[in-house]
Amino acid sequence: MTSDKKNVSLLADIFIKKGLSDIIISPGSRNAPIINAFAERKEIKALSIIDERSAGFFALGMAQQIKKAVAVACTSGTAALNYAPAIAEAYYQKIPLLILTADRPPEMIDQGDGQTIRQKGVFANYIKASFELPVVVNDPATFQIAEQVINSAIDQTMFPEPGPVHINIPLREPLYGTTDSKVVGKSFHTFKETDSISKETIDDFAKRWNTSKRIMLIAGQMQPDSVLNRRLSALSKLDNVVVLTETTSNLYDERFVDCIDNVISTIVEKEAKEFQPELLVSFGGQVVSKMIKKYIRLNPPADHWHISESGEQMDTYLSLTGFAPLKPADFFRLMSKQIKNVESDYAKEWADRVEKVRNAKKDYLLEIPWSDLRVFELLLIEIPGESNLHLGNSTPVRYSQLFGSQTKFTYHSNRGVSGIDGQVSTAAGAAFTNPKINTIITGDLGFLYDSNALMNHNLTPNLKIIVINNGGGGIFRFIPGSDSSPHLDKFFATNHNWKADKIAETFDVKYFSASNEKELMETLAAFYTEMSRPALLEIFTPSENNAKILKAYFRYLKSS
Ligand SMILES: Cc1ncc(C[n+]2csc(CCOP(=O)(O)OP(=O)(O)O)c2C)c(N)n1
C-alpha cells in the first residue's frame, strides 16, 4: 500500500533506489501522504519523533554516523520552521539531510487557511538547495520534472560536499487516500565528479611550500580520516612543519599539537613572531579555539591556503591567499610528492613549548579542588574507550581541548553553528544508529533547552547523558566582559536551581548524580553498566569556583 499522491509515491521509490533508508516523521495531517508512502515500504526504516526541532537534530546525529542522508518529514506551518536549527548546523558542519515539508497547494497560501506559511525556499540562507515537487504528477512532463527534482535533491545531499537539501511538497486534499499500485521512477546521477586542479597550480603550491621555513597546518572539525591522518603524520616529521589539531578534528599523532589553547595562552607578545607561520594551510570545518584565531589574525602568515573539496574560500584568519578544491588527503598526497626538506627550527620551537606546557599542566592539575576542570580530567580518563564522545557547547567542547585527543574516542560536537538547542538529540540519533557507547557531555542549560530529546521512543541504552550542572551558563563566568557584567547572574549565566532528575524520571531514563569526586567515581561504573535503558548522570559543581580555577589554570601555564 502507498499514498495515492503520485509525487510522494515517486519520491519514496527513488529514495530507495538511491540507497537511502532512514526517515524521521513528525505527526501531522498534511504530511499523511508522506507517512503512507514511506512507512509502508519495507526497505525504509521510518521513525516517529514528535518535536520537529529534536527530530531534525536526531536525524543529524544519525547521518553523522551513517554518512549518507537521513530524511525528516513534517506537516506544514511552524512545524517546518522547527527544522531550521538542525538545518543550519547540518549546513555548516556538512552533514547530509533531506528535509521534506508537506505544504498547502499554492492557491491556499496567504488565503487564511490554517497552519499555512510561505514554505517554498523558507530555509534559503542555510540550505544547499531548495526544490518543490509538482502538486499533481499526472502526465509525462510533470513526471519528468518530479523525477529530476528528486534525483537532484538527493544527489546534492552528498555532492560536491555533504549538506542539507529541502524539498517542499504541496499536497491537495483529500490526503489519506491509498493505493496498491506504487509509482515507479528512474534513479540517475545528476552530478559528475571532475578533476578540478591543474598540475601547474599544484606545482605553484609546492614551490611556495619549499621556500617556507615556518609552515603551520590547522585542522578544523572533521570525521576520522585515516588516510589524511597518515599523510599529516608524515608531514609532521619535517623540521619546518607544525600540525595543529583539536579533539573535534579526530586526528592523532604524538607530534601533533592537540592542546592549542594550552600553548597559545603562554605565547607572550615579545615571542609572538617566533611561533608565527610564514605559510598557513587550513582544512576541515570550524576551529573551536578562539585563541588561535586571535593569535593568527594578529600575526598573519604571508600566505594562507584553505583546502576543501568544494573549493570554498573560508578566510577564518583574514589572510587567505589561495585555495584548492580537493579533499585534504588528496591535496597533501600531491604536495608530498614534491616536498623537499627545508632546514628550520620551527617544529622544534613548538615541540619544546608543548613539552613545557604539558609539565606545567600536570603540576597544576595535582592541586585543584572539585570543579568543572577536575570533573573533565576524571571523565576523560573514565569514559570507556571505543566510544563516541559528543561535546556540548560551550564549556564541554572547550574543556576537552585542554586534555588533547585520545584515540579511544571519536569526537563529535555541534560546532557548525555552536547552538545549545539540539546537542542531546544529536547524540541520541548517533546512539540509535551506532551501537557503541555514545556519551554526551552537556552543560545544564544545554540539557534543559533540549530536554525534549528525551520525549522520544527511539532512545537506546547505549546513550549516556552527562549533565554538568553548575547552576547556569558557566561559560559566561569565564568570558571577559560577561564575567564582570552587573547582568551576569540574571542575563548571561541565567542562574537557576533546577535539576534533571524529574525530567529523566518522566521519560524513563535512569538517573544518577554526583556532587563530589568520591560519588562521581562510585557512580560512573553503575552509570556505564546500566544497559537496560538510557542513563543520565548529573554532576553538580560549584558555579563560581569553576571560572576562577580555569582562569588561574591559564595564568599558571603562562607563568611556568
Ligand atoms: C540556541 C542557542 N542559544 C544561545 C546560545 C548562546 N550560548 C552559548 S553557551 C550558552 C550557555 C550554555 O550553558 P550550559 O549548557 O550550562 O553550559 P556551560 O556554559 O556551563 O558550558 C549559551 C546560552 C547558543 N549557543 N545557542
Side-chain angles (χ1 to χ4, degrees):
M1 189 191 82
T2 184
S3 168
D4 61 4
K5 300 288 183 208
K6 290 191 177 151
N7 53 5
V8 288
S9 181
L10 180 66
L11 174 60
D13 189 63
I14 299 176
F15 183 85
I16 295 166
K17 288 186 173 135
K18 287 251 173 210
L20 300 185
S21 51
D22 296 280
I23 185 167
I24 299 174
I25 301 172
S26 296
S29 188
R30 188 60 48 170
N31 55 341
I34 304 179
I35 296 172
N36 285 335
F38 280 74
E40 289 284 332
R41 299 289 297 251
K42 64 176 184 331
E43 302 91 333
I44 295 178
K45 270 185 274 159
L47 304 181
S48 166
I49 295 180
I50 300 159
D51 176 334
E52 288 85 3
R53 192 182 82 205
S54 178
F57 281 107
F58 192 93
L60 183 106
M62 290 176 72
Q64 167 198 90
Q65 297 301 314
I66 59 175
K67 300 181 182 67
K68 61 180 185 174
V70 171
V72 287
C74 70
T75 188
S76 58
T78 54
L81 295 181
N82 276 291
Y83 284 147
I87 294 174
E89 180 60 32
Y91 183 77
Y92 285 100
Q93 209 192 126
K94 298 184 181 169
I95 294 194
L97 287 183
L98 184 67
I99 320 298
L100 308 177
T101 54
D103 198 359
R104 300 293 196 267
E107 67 274 13
M108 305 303 288
I109 310 296
D110 287 342
Q111 306 306 324
D113 213 27
Q115 217 176 305
T116 305
I117 60 168
R118 291 166 219 151
Q119 276 179 219
K120 193 176 170 183
V122 69
F123 306 116
N125 278 339
Y126 38 86
I127 193 97
K128 280 186 69 187
S130 301
F131 298 89
E132 186 161 87
L133 278 181
V135 190
V136 179
V137 173
N138 57 1
D139 59 74
T142 47
F143 193 89
Q144 196 186 348
I145 292 169
E147 253 184 353
Q148 183 66 38
V149 161
I150 297 165
N151 278 283
S152 297
I154 295 178
D155 282 355
Q156 287 192 55
T157 62
M158 291 307 288
F159 295 107
E161 287 194 278
V165 174
H166 176 206
I167 309 181
N168 193 45
I169 310 174
L171 293 155
R172 235 172 240 135
E173 293 179 21
L175 300 166
Y176 290 86
T178 56
T179 168
D180 282 330
S181 54
K182 292 182 202 111
V183 179
V184 176
K186 278 198 301 291
S187 156
F188 47 84
H189 289 296
T190 59
F191 261 84
K192 268 201 242 122
E193 298 202 43
T194 51
D195 190 2
S196 48
I197 193 156
S198 68
K199 168 135 183 15
E200 290 72 45
T201 314
I202 281 293
D203 288 349
D204 284 347
F205 277 128
K207 219 182 276 167
R208 179 69 182 101
W209 180 295
N210 285 331
T211 55
S212 300
K213 282 190 174 296
R214 300 194 309 270
I215 301 175
M216 179 184 281
L217 313 184
I218 300 185
Q221 180 170 22
M222 61 181 81
Q223 296 261 9
D225 181 338
S226 56
V227 177
L228 174 64
N229 206 135
R230 270 203 310 279
R231 298 211 162 115
L232 292 172
S233 288
L235 291 171
S236 71
K237 291 181 186 150
L238 299 172
D239 293 342
N240 59 339
V241 173
V242 59
V243 181
L244 269 53
T245 63
E246 299 196 313
T247 56
T248 38
S249 316
N250 287 301
L251 295 166
Y252 313 91
D253 189 295
E254 57 185 20
R255 279 184 302 271
F256 296 169
V257 178
D258 64 353
C259 294
I260 298 177
D261 283 359
N262 288 352
V263 180
I264 295 289
S265 65
T266 67
I267 300 176
V268 294
E269 215 177 319
K270 65 175 189 303
E271 55 188 10
K273 297 287 167 210
E274 291 165 33
F275 293 88
Q276 180 185 26
E278 192 180 328
L279 167 63
L280 168 67
V281 185
S282 61
F283 48 96
Q286 307 287 337
V287 166
V288 177
S289 171
K290 282 187 180 172
M291 290 191 200
I292 188 73
K293 290 178 201 164
K294 188 171 167 200
Y295 171 76
I296 303 276
R297 285 170 192 163
L298 287 173
N299 301 281
D303 277 297
H304 169 206
W305 311 331
H306 184 68
I307 316 301
S308 78
E309 213 174 347
S310 58
E312 67 194 350
Q313 297 173 41
M314 197 161 75
D315 191 6
T316 308
Y317 307 95
L318 310 179
S319 55
L320 196 70
T321 54
F323 69 98
L326 287 172
K327 280 189 185 145
D330 290 343
F331 174 79
F332 290 115
R333 176 176 53 82
L334 293 171
M335 293 299 288
S336 300
K337 290 182 184 162
Q338 307 203 34
I339 282 171
K340 299 196 181 87
N341 198 25
V342 174
E343 234 175 74
S344 167
D345 292 334
Y346 193 53
K348 185 167 179 326
E349 263 163 39
W350 274 90
D352 289 349
R353 180 58 59 96
V354 167
E355 184 58 21
K356 191 171 162 210
V357 168
R358 191 177 290 147
N359 292 332
K361 176 175 120 185
K362 238 187 247 162
D363 291 347
Y364 184 84
L365 293 179
L366 284 177
E367 302 293 326
I368 56 169
W370 180 246
S371 58
D372 283 359
L373 186 61
R374 178 71 180 143
V375 166
F376 267 90
E377 188 190 5
L378 294 170
L379 286 178
L380 293 170
I381 295 167
E382 297 300 324
I383 294 174
E386 287 308 300
S387 66
N388 281 331
L389 181 58
H390 302 263
L391 296 160
N393 290 308
S394 183
T395 59
V397 72
R398 295 186 186 285
Y399 275 113
S400 86
Q401 308 301 340
L402 308 180
F403 295 93
S405 304
Q406 299 190 54
T407 47
K408 69 173 183 171
F409 296 131
T410 301
Y411 297 89
H412 298 285
S413 184
N414 283 353
R415 289 306 293 179
V417 280
S418 309
I420 60 168
D421 42 359
Q423 318 179 114
V424 182
S425 299
T426 304
F432 178 83
T433 314
N434 186 331
K436 285 179 181 175
I437 293 282
N438 279 260
T439 305
I440 160 86
I441 309 181
T442 168
D444 42 276
L445 293 190
F447 170 75
L448 293 165
Y449 198 130
D450 188 24
S451 59
N452 273 4
L454 305 194
M455 184 178 64
N456 185 330
H457 297 291
N458 310 290
L459 300 186
T460 46
N462 60 335
L463 173 64
K464 305 290 178 187
I465 304 164
I466 298 182
V467 181
I468 313 260
N469 191 340
N470 47 34
I475 187 73
F476 297 111
R477 299 192 173 279
F478 182 72
I479 295 175
S482 59
D483 65 343
S484 54
S485 164
H487 301 299
L488 173 61
D489 291 343
K490 183 172 177 187
F491 289 106
F492 291 108
T494 51
N495 291 355
H496 63 83
N497 291 317
W498 297 319
K499 287 166 60 183
D501 52 350
K502 299 289 189 296
I503 302 175
E505 191 188 312
T506 300
F507 295 109
D508 199 24
V509 169
K510 175 85 177 160
Y511 178 82
F512 298 85
S513 72
S515 298
N516 56 50
E517 195 162 326
K518 186 166 173 288
E519 281 175 14
L520 178 61
M521 297 309 279
E522 283 167 5
T523 311
L524 274 170
F527 176 66
Y528 276 106
T529 45
E530 168 60 61
M531 272 302 165
S532 61
R533 53 189 169 138
L536 186 153
L537 166 59
E538 189 168 28
I539 304 173
F540 295 94
T541 63
S543 64
E544 280 169 21
N545 283 355
N546 288 326
K548 283 187 198 142
I549 288 166
L550 187 57
K551 285 179 184 176
Y553 168 78
F554 284 116
R555 280 200 303 274
Y556 187 87
L557 296 187
K558 201 167 189 166
S559 66
S560 295

